[in-house]
Amino acid sequence: MNTTQRLYFIDAVRAFAILMMLQGHFIDSLLAPEHRDMSQVAFRIWSYFRGITAPTFFTISGLIFTYLLLKAREKGTEKQRMRKGLNRGLMLIGIGYLLRMPFLSWLTGYFDTYFLVIDVLQIIGLSLISIVGLYYICFKNTTFFSIITLIVGFTIFVCEPLYRGLTLENVPLIFANYVSKANGSVFTIIPWFGYMSFGACIATAFYRHLEKPNFKPVTLSVFFILGYFLIEWSSHTLFYLKKWTDIQLFLDSANYNYLFTRLGNVFIYFAIFYGLERYLKPPLLLKIGQKTLSIYVIHFIIIYGSFTGFGLSQLIGKNLSPWQAVFGAASFLIVVCFISFYYVKTNAYFYGKLRQLLYKLKGKPKV
């Protein structure tokens, strides 16, 4: 395999997903309630595409991490990549908690458990650690690993009715919040690790077959066909599985089937971006795709007021008109990206701090 082969569409998809996430958070936090009308076509379209953003981000995260892990195996740096994945996972979990710590409230003597709720960074971090664990358990066999990740993703999605209303009252909050939304968690490891698993499975196909003739047209066709099937026919398939097996879980999953349909939307996105890959190489777009952590941290601080409790959601509130929200979101994207590119080195800073901590824990001098 050509080790210099680069999948530019991955950075383009990541850039698209992070920008969609930013505008989604901005508009959702600041748009006035009277304009949140699903009978309005514009708001309905916005809501639909916003619902695809997180699945896209999780799936592409699983794809890129696993692809780099498999490429590292080819270069003989597999152990280093696995170690880096574990470190990055721990770092993301730490940053996720840090962003919700209300230091000013603590200084005034007010304490609550809000900072223990789980958001996207903790789930991606735990998912990266889980992917490394699965890869290790599979004896680093890519075929076995691809089968396992496919089974894990499918099982998590089909079993969604079993954990949809999970509360875990007798489990410590710090652990329960990773599985249950009862205490305010925005994301939980299930079902979102399912998207990471499907991304990891897709990565194995790219790794094994990327250099084969006609790989790209075949892959584009598979993405489009699978995407269409999952959007239009996954619920019917689950219904027929119930009919054939008499397992009630399939029917329960079919009656509230948002996970498979959104995965279908993700596949359509992948097909579009992969098909247009030759046009998606502008340095700015690629840079946005490579700076997702910095961009996410900065946007979170500005909107939600991390550390201080004073962000746009507190200062402005849900008071904007649709046009104010649209132009405000566009300006917000520009400002956040500008800060990320030119003023803040979030990734390097947190990686540096994490390395210092690890060296201290290991009792080694810092290098």
Side-chain angles (χ1 to χ4, degrees):
M1 181 183 292
N2 179 6
T3 58
T4 62
Q5 180 76 33
R6 180 172 178 178
L7 298 172
Y8 287 95
F9 91 98
I10 290 178
D11 285 329
V13 172
R14 291 177 73 189
F16 173 77
I18 194 66
L19 293 177
M20 287 290 289
M21 185 179 292
L22 264 60
Q23 66 83 19
H25 286 175
F26 183 92
I27 294 176
D28 183 63
S29 299
L30 303 178
L31 182 66
E34 60 267 24
H35 301 299
R36 299 167 185 263
D37 185 359
M38 291 301 289
S39 66
Q40 297 294 321
V41 175
F43 184 77
R44 189 163 64 248
I45 293 173
W46 174 83
S47 298
Y48 181 82
F49 281 98
R50 184 173 182 241
I52 307 169
T53 301
T56 302
F57 200 80
F58 278 96
T59 308
I60 200 66
S61 296
L63 195 162
I64 182 58
F65 174 76
T66 304
Y67 183 74
L68 292 176
L69 175 60
L70 297 176
K71 294 288 285 182
R73 172 185 179 176
E74 181 182 296
K75 299 174 184 177
T77 58
E78 186 179 35
K79 289 184 178 179
Q80 293 91 319
R81 175 58 63 174
M82 291 174 71
R83 193 180 304 116
K84 184 176 181 179
L86 294 175
N87 290 340
R88 184 172 179 82
L90 292 172
M91 180 190 72
L92 291 176
I93 292 172
I95 295 174
Y97 282 119
L98 186 64
L99 287 175
R100 288 189 178 273
M101 287 184 179
F103 291 110
L104 287 184
S105 296
W106 288 358
L107 290 175
T108 61
Y110 177 75
F111 298 91
D112 62 21
T113 59
Y114 176 71
F115 77 96
L116 290 177
V117 305
I118 303 304
D119 213 324
V120 61
L121 291 185
Q122 288 103 318
I123 297 306
I124 290 181
L126 183 57
S127 296
L128 294 182
I129 295 172
S130 300
I131 287 176
V132 172
L134 283 178
Y135 184 67
Y136 184 79
I137 291 172
C138 292
F139 307 105
K140 305 176 183 179
N141 182 298
T142 57
T143 302
F144 188 31
F145 176 74
S146 64
I147 294 171
I148 291 298
T149 51
L150 182 62
I151 292 173
V152 168
F154 180 81
T155 303
I156 288 175
F157 281 13
V158 169
C159 292
E160 190 272 344
L162 300 179
Y163 55 78
R164 185 184 303 157
L166 207 58
T167 57
L168 300 177
E169 289 134 348
N170 298 320
V171 176
L173 201 58
I174 192 170
F175 300 118
N177 282 349
Y178 278 92
V179 183
S180 170
K181 290 187 175 182
N183 302 301
S185 289
V186 181
F187 290 90
T188 49
I189 191 65
I190 47 177
W192 295 101
F193 181 60
Y195 288 107
M196 294 282 285
S197 296
F198 282 117
C201 182
I202 295 169
T204 62
F206 273 91
Y207 173 73
R208 288 200 298 264
H209 306 297
L210 185 60
E211 296 298 323
K212 292 183 178 179
N214 299 319
F215 172 78
K216 188 166 186 175
V218 170
T219 302
L220 289 174
S221 300
V222 170
F223 276 149
F224 271 119
I225 293 170
L226 273 178
Y228 176 79
F229 172 81
L230 289 172
I231 294 169
E232 297 293 335
W233 293 98
S234 58
S235 295
H236 296 286
T237 302
L238 290 168
F239 173 77
Y240 283 115
L241 284 174
K242 159 62 172 73
K243 204 171 180 183
W244 295 333
T245 64
D246 200 31
I247 297 175
Q248 181 63 30
L249 181 61
F250 288 125
L251 181 60
D252 294 339
S253 181
N255 288 333
Y256 191 58
N257 177 30
Y258 67 97
L259 295 172
F260 285 109
T261 55
R262 287 179 179 175
L263 182 63
N265 289 123
V266 172
F267 286 159
I268 297 296
Y269 274 170
F270 283 5
I272 293 172
F273 279 92
Y274 193 30
L276 299 175
E277 186 177 41
R278 68 172 66 181
Y279 308 108
L280 300 175
K281 299 180 183 180
L284 178 60
L285 186 64
L286 298 179
K287 194 170 184 180
I288 291 174
Q290 294 161 6
K291 298 282 288 183
T292 52
L293 178 57
S294 298
I295 291 171
Y296 182 87
V297 170
I298 294 165
H299 109 280
F300 202 95
I301 293 172
I302 294 175
I303 291 184
Y304 302 112
S306 298
F307 315 127
T308 64
F310 298 103
L312 294 179
S313 60
Q314 292 84 14
L315 299 174
I316 298 177
K318 299 181 186 296
N319 292 302
L320 297 186
S321 68
W323 283 113
Q324 287 174 328
V326 169
F327 285 112
S331 302
F332 178 68
L333 295 184
I334 294 171
V335 170
V336 170
C337 290
F338 181 82
I339 295 173
S340 175
F341 292 166
Y342 299 107
Y343 286 97
V344 179
K345 304 294 183 182
T346 310
N347 294 28
Y349 174 79
F350 281 110
Y351 269 127
K353 292 298 182 183
L354 180 61
R355 280 194 294 268
Q356 290 178 22
L357 178 60
L358 291 175
Y359 277 118
K360 287 181 181 178
L361 292 175
K362 294 176 181 179
K364 294 181 181 180
K366 187 180 74 171
V367 294

